[in-house]
Amino acid sequence: MADQRLTLADQVLVNILGWIASNVIEDLETEMALLRELEAVLPHVTKHHPKIAPLLPAAAELIAVRLAAFDRRGLWAPKLRLSAPMADFFRWRTGLAIEAWRASVTEEA
């Protein structure tokens, strides 16, 4: 199996996208700052990672929509398209965490 570890850039990407996807309270200042960070980190993420690659089109769309118009209404479609790959990513990470936790509990016993 290929190495599926996340780089720091990958982790920044996922955390920013997670915040944007789950945030329901309008915080335009934070959102704009995070989208600028997302734009800066995007060239450094692992584009061939099987769980990161599906996030990249929505990330690029969010940056384009928000930074071009700063119109909150324009974010709903990209957020919707982001939801499925984010759910898949977190399902994968949850599985890894459960496996690690179970292994640690087994070792303790």
Side-chain angles (χ1 to χ4, degrees):
M1 175 181 266
D3 182 9
Q4 291 194 7
R5 289 180 287 186
L6 299 176
T7 66
L8 288 175
D10 297 342
Q11 292 176 52
V12 169
L13 170 90
V14 169
N15 282 291
I16 290 174
L17 292 178
W19 185 87
I20 290 170
S22 63
N23 184 44
V24 294
I25 298 172
E26 190 167 292
D27 182 352
L28 298 178
E29 186 176 321
T30 300
E31 198 167 86
M32 189 65 149
L34 288 175
L35 284 169
R36 285 190 183 110
E37 291 295 330
L38 182 62
E39 186 176 36
V41 79
L42 207 51
H44 306 283
V45 301
T46 312
K47 292 169 181 55
H48 61 274
H49 190 289
K51 299 299 179 183
I52 295 296
L55 300 172
L56 299 178
E61 186 178 8
L62 283 164
I63 291 167
V65 167
R66 173 52 91 197
L67 297 183
F70 207 69
D71 180 359
R72 186 154 194 79
R73 293 170 297 174
L75 287 183
W76 291 110
K79 279 185 167 188
L80 185 60
R81 284 187 283 281
L82 179 60
S83 63
M86 285 298 293
D88 185 53
F89 176 86
F90 284 114
R91 182 179 57 224
W92 169 69
R93 291 293 290 181
T94 299
L96 294 176
I98 289 169
E99 286 178 19
W101 178 76
R102 286 181 179 163
S104 74
V105 171
T106 304
E107 291 170 4
E108 292 173 3

